[in-house]
Amino acid sequence: MVVTDYEGLGTPGVHTYTVGPSASRAMLAAARAASRLPETGLSANTPVGIMGYSQGGQAGSRAAELQGSYARSCRSRARRRAASRPTC
C-alpha cells in the first residue's frame, strides 16, 4: 500500500485540493516509486490497484484517465473511488 499526501500539503501557498492533474500525477508517481523500491518485493510488472476516498477518489479517477499517457509503466488493473467530486 502506498499513500500520498499530495503536492504542497503543509507548505506555504494554496493547496492543490481538487486539482485533478496534480493529484493524479502524485498518485501515479507513488505507485511507480513503490515498484522501484527493492524492499517492497514489487516489480514493474506488478499489477496496481488505485483506490481513493474524497480527494483520493477524484485523484484515482483522474489517475485512471492519465495512466496511459503519464505512467505507462504502471499496470493499473483495478480502480475504486468513493465520495469523489468533479475536478478542474
Side-chain angles (χ1 to χ4, degrees):
M1 176 184 291
V2 176
V3 179
T4 176
D5 62 0
Y6 305 108
E7 174 183 340
L9 188 61
T11 62
V14 178
H15 186 261
T16 57
Y17 181 72
T18 72
V19 178
S22 173
S24 60
R25 285 191 301 267
M27 185 173 272
L28 291 169
R32 285 194 301 198
S35 71
R36 293 178 178 150
L37 290 171
E39 300 83 17
T40 65
L42 305 175
S43 73
N45 296 325
T46 302
V48 173
I50 297 172
M51 181 182 166
Y53 182 83
S54 187
Q55 181 184 3
Q58 65 91 21
S61 294
R62 294 294 295 262
E65 294 172 6
L66 189 63
Q67 183 264 327
S69 62
Y70 179 74
R72 291 178 194 234
S73 62
C74 284
R75 297 184 50 201
S76 175
R77 296 290 180 249
R79 298 165 189 98
R80 171 84 169 110
R81 67 184 175 127
S84 63
R85 56 180 280 187
T87 62
C88 48

